[in-house]
Amino acid sequence: PANGFAFYKMEVGRAGPPARANLATEMADAIEVNTGPMWLRISKKEVAIPGELFIDRNGDGRFDDSERLILPSQPGDCWWQGEKEQYTLQFSGEAVDGQAPGVRIERNGPESAVVRILGWHVAKDGRRPAFSEVRIEVSRGKAWLNLWHRVTFAGNPWRDRIKSYGLTLRFKPGLYE
């Protein structure tokens, strides 16, 4: 208060709420993320963006095949189209800014998590004209995600041209028919 005093009294009381578990779990071959109403599995061995995705439609806290929304990605689902050929995203090649290609948990906490996917777009002859960085961000209690996809051109500007690039999402057949 203005020109006044405030007195506070502190008492020992009950402990706060129990700590919540982090949303993302690193496994040997994948990273699994559980927000409550959504479960996501991102492979560390194959490029899978965003990976297998399930929505808990009946609210029972379990995820079965009837609640699958997105199927695992296939090779070539993250692509960069040049003038004459298509380049597929792969976890091979040198590191960029000290980060080797692959899948890793970038941020993990009880309220939100970010999974980062890095890789090179590789041609059949081994050329790598572009580098992709994908971030998938999720929040506790939410059945949606944010996905950012950035492509950095690293090719020869006189030889390598981009016509298009993108991601293919494989929704479960019959879901929207």
Side-chain angles (χ1 to χ4, degrees), residues 2 14 22 49 54 60 64 68 81 98 111 133 147 156 161 177:
R14 297 187 322 249
N22 289 340
I49 302 169
F54 295 77
D60 67 355
D64 58 36
R68 181 188 303 266
Q81 182 68 46
E111 296 302 319
E133 178 179 2
L147 188 142
N156 181 330
R161 304 271 191 251
E177 296 178 58

Side-chain angles (χ1 to χ4, degrees), residues 1-7:
N3 297 325
F5 296 94
F7 296 96

